[in-house]
Every structure is written in C-alpha cells, then in structure tokens.
Amino acid sequence: MRSPSLAKNGSMSAYRVARRYAEAALELAEEQNQGERLAADLEVVWKAMKESREFIGLLKSPVISKDKKRALLAEIFRSKLSVFTFNFLNLIVDKGREDVLDDIIKEYYKLRDDRLGIVTLEVRAATELTKDQQQTIVKRFEGITRKKIRVAFSIDKQLKGGFVARVGDTVYDGSVRRQLELLRERFAEGVGRN
C-alpha cells in the first residue's frame, strides 16, 4: 500500500495519535480474531479515501457534525465492512480524530507488517520487468532484509535503464545513471592517482 506522508501538517502529535489508534486497533482485532478482516476492511476504506477527494473533505471538515459524518460512513461502508471495523471508524469520528484516519490506516499496516515480518519493496524500473526479473529482485531483497517482501513494481520513464528499489528509508540504486556515475568516480580517482 502506497501512502501519503504522515499527517498533512507534519506534526509529531498527529503521528502519536495515529500510532496510538493503530496499536489499539491491532491489539483488539487480534484479541477478537478480527485481524485479517480488519486488514481487508481498512484496504476498502483506504481505496475510498484515495478515489474521492470529496469524501476526504467531508470527513475532515470541522463544520460537518459528527452525526452527519457517522451517517456518511454508514451510507458508504455499512454493507462493506465488518461490525468491528465499522465501530472502529465510528469511534474515530466520536473522538474527533477523522482528520488523521489515513495516517491511522498507514500506521496500522506498518505495525501489522512488523509483526508478520513483512517489508514493502517499491521498485521503479525503466521498462516493464519480466516475471523472472521480478522474482530475482524479490529473492535478492528477501536475502538482504531477511524478511518477507511485499512488492510494488512501477515504470519510471526518467530512468535510462535498470531500476531503483526502496525498502523503508533505504534506497538501492541500480539504475544505469547511477552505474555511470560510479564509473566516472572510479575513472576520476584513477586519473588523479597518476
């Protein structure tokens, strides 16, 4: 799941709030054997948020009452989500934390992935990669991270060739441009020694 930056205002308190709600949701879902369902349900909510700016605007608007927000959630999600997830969304609205719902979802998935030993690998390649190339990259990064890999491949026309991979905050640059830069640096070092 690709996500926006945490808390549009970038505040640390928004991060703490999102983290606290995500931790509580994860713990309670596991206690009630709702972990898998909550994860699937939050994917539905995430998709709705990414597809509709209007929905996000209504949900985050300070002038719209909590009752109207709960009614909106019911209209959109009541038939699509478990009772557990639906109640969790209503709790977020009741506590006035709907402005960080996207961050809560992001933190939930990070915490869940940590528990499951999964890391997300984002790979940007100059061209479409074959299935064999994709499998080779996944196996390579499973070896590097010693974790299970969830991978998202995309094409980046700005790359001349090769690929750039990101795991968390670490970037692995296997692009042709980077390889040429390294060659230039080695060449310059060699010329400088003579």
Side-chain angles (χ1 to χ4, degrees), residues 74-129:
E75 184 180 323
I76 296 172
F77 296 118
R78 187 181 299 277
S79 64
K80 297 177 184 173
L81 305 179
S82 67
V83 172
F84 181 91
T85 306
F86 189 72
N87 288 341
F88 177 62
L89 292 178
N90 279 325
L91 173 71
I92 291 170
V93 170
D94 289 343
K95 297 292 185 182
R97 298 301 189 179
E98 59 274 7
D99 60 325
V100 292
L101 178 58
D102 49 350
D103 299 325
I104 292 169
I105 294 171
K106 178 182 174 185
E107 285 303 302
Y108 172 83
Y109 279 106
K110 283 170 67 176
L111 290 167
R112 182 175 177 266
D113 285 353
D114 284 348
R115 285 200 182 174
L116 297 174
I118 298 171
V119 293
T120 298
L121 172 68
E122 296 174 13
V123 178
R124 294 181 295 121
T127 60
E128 187 79 32
L129 297 171

XYZ file of all heavy atoms in Angstrom, residues 74-129:
463
model
N -21.887 5.286 7.356
C -22.882 4.216 7.264
C -23.337 4.024 5.824
O -23.442 2.901 5.337
C -24.075 4.524 8.168
N -23.597 5.136 5.144
C -24.060 5.073 3.754
C -23.025 4.400 2.848
O -23.362 3.579 2.010
C -24.344 6.489 3.248
C -24.930 6.536 1.860
C -25.197 7.980 1.414
O -25.594 8.806 2.251
O -24.990 8.252 0.222
N -21.775 4.728 3.059
C -20.721 4.207 2.183
C -20.274 2.801 2.586
O -20.076 1.941 1.725
C -19.494 5.152 2.195
C -19.885 6.514 1.619
C -18.333 4.561 1.405
C -18.809 7.573 1.767
N -20.132 2.536 3.892
C -19.424 1.333 4.315
C -20.230 0.273 5.067
O -19.736 -0.838 5.231
C -18.237 1.723 5.209
C -17.195 2.527 4.510
C -16.900 3.817 4.932
C -16.494 2.019 3.431
C -15.927 4.568 4.301
C -15.529 2.764 2.783
C -15.239 4.045 3.224
N -21.432 0.584 5.534
C -22.122 -0.376 6.413
C -22.212 -1.777 5.801
O -21.962 -2.776 6.470
C -23.510 0.099 6.796
C -24.144 -0.827 7.847
C -25.528 -0.432 8.266
N -25.648 0.874 8.869
C -25.421 1.150 10.151
N -25.023 0.201 10.951
N -25.589 2.356 10.613
N -22.509 -1.877 4.525
C -22.662 -3.198 3.898
C -21.323 -3.791 3.453
O -21.264 -4.952 3.063
C -23.597 -3.101 2.693
O -23.015 -2.278 1.696
N -20.251 -3.013 3.518
C -18.951 -3.483 3.009
C -17.983 -3.904 4.105
O -17.027 -4.623 3.832
C -18.291 -2.372 2.179
C -19.076 -1.986 0.955
C -18.402 -0.842 0.232
C -19.260 -0.402 -0.945
N -18.745 0.802 -1.579
N -18.206 -3.419 5.332
C -17.249 -3.658 6.408
C -17.843 -4.516 7.514
O -19.055 -4.553 7.707
C -16.807 -2.319 7.018
C -16.239 -1.259 6.075
C -15.886 -0.002 6.856
C -15.042 -1.785 5.308
N -16.952 -5.155 8.258
C -17.403 -5.910 9.431
C -17.906 -4.929 10.492
O -17.579 -3.739 10.467
C -16.234 -6.723 10.006
O -15.259 -5.851 10.548
N -18.679 -5.437 11.417
C -19.183 -4.619 12.527
C -18.003 -4.058 13.316
O -18.005 -2.893 13.722
C -20.119 -5.451 13.437
C -20.483 -4.684 14.697
C -21.365 -5.870 12.677
N -16.972 -4.870 13.518
C -15.782 -4.443 14.247
C -15.169 -3.203 13.604
O -14.910 -2.201 14.272
C -14.757 -5.589 14.277
C -13.494 -5.245 15.026
C -13.384 -5.506 16.379
C -12.413 -4.666 14.365
C -12.222 -5.175 17.073
C -11.249 -4.332 15.049
C -11.156 -4.590 16.402
N -14.929 -3.262 12.294
C -14.297 -2.141 11.587
C -15.208 -0.927 11.566
O -14.756 0.203 11.769
C -13.922 -2.547 10.145
O -13.126 -3.737 10.193
C -13.149 -1.449 9.444
N -16.486 -1.155 11.330
C -17.441 -0.054 11.285
C -17.476 0.675 12.638
O -17.464 1.904 12.697
C -18.825 -0.570 10.892
C -19.806 0.518 10.618
C -19.706 1.301 9.475
C -20.821 0.789 11.514
C -20.603 2.322 9.223
C -21.729 1.807 11.278
C -21.622 2.567 10.127
N -17.472 -0.099 13.727
C -17.450 0.514 15.062
C -16.154 1.278 15.305
O -16.160 2.330 15.956
C -17.649 -0.560 16.139
C -19.069 -1.079 16.171
O -19.993 -0.439 15.661
N -19.255 -2.256 16.743
N -15.051 0.762 14.795
C -13.766 1.443 14.928
C -13.808 2.798 14.214
O -13.362 3.813 14.755
C -12.639 0.556 14.375
C -11.285 1.201 14.416
C -10.699 1.564 15.618
C -10.589 1.442 13.240
C -9.440 2.158 15.656
C -9.330 2.037 13.269
C -8.757 2.391 14.474
N -14.366 2.836 13.012
C -14.487 4.105 12.277
C -15.372 5.095 13.038
O -15.051 6.289 13.118
C -15.055 3.875 10.878
C -14.167 3.129 9.889
C -14.898 2.948 8.561
C -12.843 3.835 9.684
N -16.462 4.610 13.587
C -17.339 5.489 14.365
C -16.644 6.020 15.616
O -16.833 7.183 15.991
C -18.637 4.766 14.742
C -19.628 4.768 13.599
O -19.722 5.727 12.838
N -20.353 3.670 13.459
N -15.821 5.184 16.254
C -15.053 5.624 17.415
C -14.103 6.765 17.022
O -13.991 7.761 17.738
C -14.244 4.459 17.993
C -13.271 4.845 19.115
C -14.039 5.212 20.384
C -12.280 3.730 19.369
N -13.448 6.631 15.876
C -12.540 7.671 15.398
C -13.287 8.991 15.207
O -12.811 10.053 15.601
C -11.826 7.217 14.099
C -10.846 6.089 14.433
C -11.123 8.382 13.414
C -10.265 5.390 13.229
N -14.499 8.910 14.643
C -15.314 10.114 14.461
C -15.746 10.667 15.822
O -15.663 11.873 16.068
C -16.540 9.829 13.558
C -17.513 10.994 13.577
C -16.097 9.518 12.137
N -16.194 9.783 16.705
C -16.640 10.229 18.037
C -15.532 10.957 18.795
O -15.796 11.915 19.527
C -17.116 9.039 18.877
C -18.439 8.466 18.388
O -19.151 9.160 17.622
O -18.747 7.311 18.758
N -14.307 10.518 18.611
C -13.168 11.124 19.308
C -12.590 12.318 18.540
O -11.635 12.935 18.986
C -12.051 10.085 19.518
C -12.464 8.922 20.396
C -12.682 9.372 21.817
C -12.965 8.192 22.729
N -13.224 8.591 24.097
N -13.188 12.631 17.373
C -12.726 13.781 16.594
C -11.360 13.577 15.956
O -10.607 14.532 15.746
N -11.046 12.340 15.591
C -9.734 12.024 15.014
C -9.798 11.643 13.537
O -8.833 11.118 12.988
C -9.075 10.880 15.803
C -8.813 11.223 17.251
C -7.917 12.427 17.350
N -7.489 12.637 18.733
C -6.692 13.601 19.107
N -6.247 14.471 18.230
N -6.345 13.719 20.368
N -10.922 11.940 12.891
C -11.071 11.579 11.475
C -10.071 12.308 10.580
O -9.774 11.860 9.474
C -12.501 11.801 10.982
C -13.001 13.217 11.117
C -13.599 13.553 12.482
O -13.525 12.732 13.417
O -14.136 14.658 12.615
N -9.490 13.411 11.085
C -8.505 14.146 10.288
C -7.211 13.359 10.103
O -6.432 13.652 9.200
C -8.199 15.509 10.920
C -7.644 15.391 12.326
O -8.049 14.479 13.069
O -6.792 16.225 12.686
N -6.985 12.344 10.938
C -5.782 11.520 10.782
C -6.120 10.066 10.445
O -5.291 9.174 10.630
C -4.869 11.589 12.033
C -4.255 12.960 12.190
C -5.600 11.155 13.287
N -7.307 9.824 9.910
C -7.712 8.459 9.571
C -6.738 7.818 8.588
O -6.355 6.654 8.744
C -9.139 8.427 9.005
C -9.641 7.047 8.563
C -9.592 6.050 9.722
C -11.057 7.154 8.001
N -6.308 8.563 7.568
C -5.361 7.975 6.610
C -4.051 7.601 7.301
O -3.451 6.568 7.011
C -5.127 8.896 5.405
C -4.815 10.338 5.770
O -4.941 10.719 6.949
O -4.463 11.093 4.851
N -3.634 8.406 8.262
C -2.408 8.107 9.000
C -2.590 6.919 9.939
O -1.668 6.134 10.140
C -1.952 9.336 9.785
C -1.642 10.512 8.870
O -1.148 10.280 7.750
O -1.895 11.658 9.270
N -3.770 6.788 10.517
C -4.068 5.637 11.376
C -3.970 4.356 10.553
O -3.362 3.374 10.981
C -5.463 5.767 12.029
C -5.467 6.927 13.039
C -5.871 4.454 12.702
C -6.854 7.313 13.543
N -4.550 4.380 9.368
C -4.504 3.202 8.496
C -3.062 2.879 8.108
O -2.631 1.719 8.170
C -5.378 3.406 7.248
C -6.857 3.495 7.651
C -5.165 2.271 6.242
C -7.795 3.905 6.533
N -2.303 3.900 7.749
C -0.901 3.693 7.382
C -0.131 3.066 8.547
O 0.614 2.094 8.366
C -0.274 5.030 6.996
C 1.191 4.936 6.650
C 1.755 6.306 6.332
C 3.255 6.227 6.128
N 3.865 7.524 5.927
N -0.305 3.600 9.742
C 0.398 3.072 10.909
C -0.060 1.650 11.246
O 0.741 0.818 11.650
C 0.197 3.988 12.119
C 0.998 5.260 12.051
C 2.485 4.994 11.901
O 3.074 4.300 12.762
O 3.068 5.467 10.914
N -1.349 1.379 11.069
C -1.862 0.032 11.313
C -1.118 -0.978 10.443
O -0.656 -2.015 10.924
C -3.374 -0.032 11.038
C -3.893 -1.439 11.085
C -4.216 -2.030 12.297
C -4.022 -2.194 9.922
C -4.660 -3.341 12.352
C -4.468 -3.506 9.973
C -4.783 -4.070 11.187
O -5.210 -5.374 11.246
N -0.993 -0.670 9.161
C -0.318 -1.598 8.253
C 1.170 -1.734 8.576
O 1.734 -2.823 8.466
C -0.531 -1.199 6.792
C -1.874 -1.663 6.287
C -2.904 -0.764 6.088
C -2.118 -3.002 6.049
C -4.148 -1.194 5.647
C -3.355 -3.449 5.623
C -4.371 -2.546 5.421
O -5.599 -2.970 5.007
N 1.796 -0.652 9.001
C 3.211 -0.743 9.390
C 3.372 -1.661 10.598
O 4.252 -2.529 10.618
C 3.767 0.654 9.700
C 4.076 1.456 8.455
C 4.394 2.901 8.737
C 5.666 3.117 9.475
N 5.980 4.564 9.643
N 2.522 -1.480 11.599
C 2.592 -2.314 12.796
C 2.297 -3.780 12.470
O 2.984 -4.687 12.946
C 1.597 -1.817 13.849
C 1.923 -0.480 14.505
C 0.706 0.043 15.267
C 3.128 -0.626 15.432
N 1.295 -4.006 11.667
C 0.905 -5.367 11.275
C 2.037 -6.037 10.506
O 2.381 -7.192 10.769
C -0.369 -5.307 10.442
C -0.900 -6.661 10.026
C -2.237 -6.494 9.311
N -2.716 -7.763 8.838
C -2.499 -8.242 7.617
N -1.823 -7.545 6.741
N -2.973 -9.415 7.263
N 2.614 -5.308 9.560
C 3.718 -5.866 8.779
C 4.911 -6.197 9.662
O 5.561 -7.225 9.478
C 4.143 -4.904 7.663
C 3.149 -4.883 6.512
O 2.198 -5.698 6.504
O 3.330 -4.044 5.603
N 5.200 -5.321 10.640
C 6.295 -5.599 11.572
C 6.061 -6.914 12.309
O 6.968 -7.727 12.449
C 6.450 -4.466 12.597
C 7.117 -3.237 12.014
O 7.677 -3.320 10.888
O 7.075 -2.181 12.676
N 4.844 -7.127 12.758
C 4.519 -8.361 13.485
C 4.624 -9.581 12.597
O 5.003 -10.652 13.051
C 3.109 -8.287 14.058
C 3.045 -7.397 15.252
C 1.848 -7.689 16.078
N 1.838 -6.761 17.197
C 0.876 -6.658 18.054
N -0.183 -7.417 17.957
N 0.949 -5.795 19.035
N 4.260 -9.414 11.334
C 4.287 -10.542 10.398
C 5.650 -10.715 9.729
O 5.842 -11.653 8.949
C 3.209 -10.364 9.325
C 1.761 -10.361 9.816
C 0.801 -10.028 8.684
C 1.414 -11.715 10.433
N 6.580 -9.809 10.006
C 7.902 -9.894 9.391
C 7.893 -9.577 7.906
O 8.620 -10.186 7.124
N 7.062 -8.603 7.519
C 6.932 -8.220 6.109
C 7.458 -6.806 5.914
O 7.198 -5.926 6.732
C 5.447 -8.268 5.661
C 4.893 -9.690 5.779
C 5.279 -7.739 4.244
C 3.398 -9.788 5.569
N 8.204 -6.598 4.831
C 8.619 -5.251 4.450
C 8.102 -4.970 3.044
O 7.930 -5.887 2.241
C 10.161 -5.047 4.488
C 10.684 -5.121 5.900
C 10.872 -6.022 3.589
N 7.836 -3.699 2.787
C 7.361 -3.301 1.466
C 8.545 -2.857 0.628
O 9.343 -2.027 1.055
C 6.327 -2.165 1.569
O 5.207 -2.663 2.322
C 5.850 -1.727 0.201
N 8.632 -3.411 -0.553
C 9.676 -3.073 -1.512
C 9.014 -2.358 -2.677
O 8.090 -2.892 -3.285
C 10.376 -4.349 -1.995
C 11.362 -4.216 -3.145
C 12.594 -3.431 -2.704
C 11.773 -5.588 -3.658
N 9.458 -1.131 -2.944
C 8.954 -0.379 -4.094
C 10.052 -0.349 -5.135
O 11.163 0.110 -4.871
C 8.585 1.046 -3.681
C 7.451 1.102 -2.677
C 7.190 2.512 -2.175
O 7.703 3.480 -2.758
O 6.473 2.639 -1.168
N 9.734 -0.855 -6.323
C 10.724 -0.936 -7.396
C 10.240 -0.112 -8.584
O 9.151 -0.341 -9.102
C 10.954 -2.396 -7.848
C 11.961 -2.460 -8.993
C 11.402 -3.258 -6.683
N 11.078 0.868 -8.977
C 10.819 1.654 -10.190
C 11.824 1.204 -11.235
O 13.032 1.225 -10.978
C 10.989 3.152 -9.922
C 9.967 3.726 -8.978
C 10.164 5.217 -8.752
N 11.425 5.493 -8.064
C 12.396 6.247 -8.550
N 12.296 6.823 -9.730
N 13.503 6.442 -7.858
N 11.326 0.782 -12.382
C 12.201 0.300 -13.450
C 11.985 1.130 -14.708
O 10.932 1.733 -14.904
C 11.915 -1.174 -13.740
N 13.012 1.142 -15.552
C 12.937 1.908 -16.802
C 11.924 1.296 -17.765
O 11.267 2.012 -18.512
C 14.314 1.972 -17.450
N 11.801 -0.024 -17.738
C 10.853 -0.731 -18.612
C 10.149 -1.808 -17.800
O 10.539 -2.111 -16.669
C 11.588 -1.410 -19.795
O 12.534 -2.347 -19.260
C 12.289 -0.396 -20.683
N 9.146 -2.403 -18.404
C 8.411 -3.494 -17.765
C 9.372 -4.645 -17.488
O 10.122 -5.059 -18.363
C 7.291 -3.961 -18.697
C 6.356 -4.972 -18.087
C 5.336 -4.338 -17.164
O 4.927 -3.194 -17.413
O 4.954 -5.008 -16.189
N 9.378 -5.146 -16.252
C 10.245 -6.259 -15.892
C 9.540 -7.580 -16.165
O 8.321 -7.692 -15.972
C 10.622 -6.180 -14.413
C 11.423 -4.947 -13.986
C 11.537 -4.890 -12.464
C 12.806 -4.958 -14.620
